[in-house]
Amino acid sequence: MNSRERVLTALSHQEPDRVPLFIGTSGVTTLLGPAYENLKNHLGLHGRPPQWISKPMQYARLEEDVLVRLGSDGRMIAPGPAPSPLARAVSEDCIVDSWGVAWERSPGCLYYEVRRPPLAEATIDDLARYPWPDLLAPSRFEGLAAQAKAVQQA
């Protein structure tokens, strides 16, 4: 039984050959960056820079060959980041996300922490002028249909 058949069987309340496994399909099913790097080293997959689902939370985006080796039956398909004039990398340990939230990692700490919430003291007028990220930007959704089709055909 392939992954698609396994998942569809389970969703039909039938018994598949094994329970479908979803590793790396979202932030809650993935590995943290350092653990993923250790896994890749263990699997002999060295030298590839990390990709992130969320860098502040250290959620790693697992690569296809790792997903196959782990037997994951799902694949992550999600919109890209929202375009924003606020998003930028300040340093390796400080980033500002699309919402204008400054995240900083203290020395020796795994996670980034919110340092400057941009609207902590905002007024109603400030909210009207705030450069909100464009969640409906077409660029966020480019290629999603092709990704979904590729997963369906795999």
Side-chain angles (χ1 to χ4, degrees), residues 59-144:
Y59 296 157
R61 181 180 294 271
L62 278 55
E63 297 151 281
E64 181 63 23
D65 53 346
V66 174
L67 293 169
V68 169
R69 298 260 305 259
L70 296 177
S72 181
D73 292 305
R75 297 298 181 267
M76 183 175 167
I77 298 175
S84 168
L86 303 173
R88 66 190 185 284
V90 177
S91 70
E92 181 61 29
D93 293 315
C94 183
I95 59 175
V96 178
D97 68 17
S98 297
W99 298 91
V101 177
W103 297 81
E104 193 169 2
R105 183 170 53 185
S106 300
C109 187
L110 173 63
Y111 299 101
Y112 290 69
E113 299 172 292
V114 174
R115 292 293 184 218
R116 289 176 295 286
L119 299 173
E121 298 177 27
T123 66
I124 296 296
D125 291 335
D126 293 334
L127 295 178
R129 290 188 302 270
Y130 196 74
W132 300 101
D134 184 1
L135 300 178
L136 298 177
S139 62
R140 294 190 67 213
F141 307 98
E142 288 174 3
L144 284 182

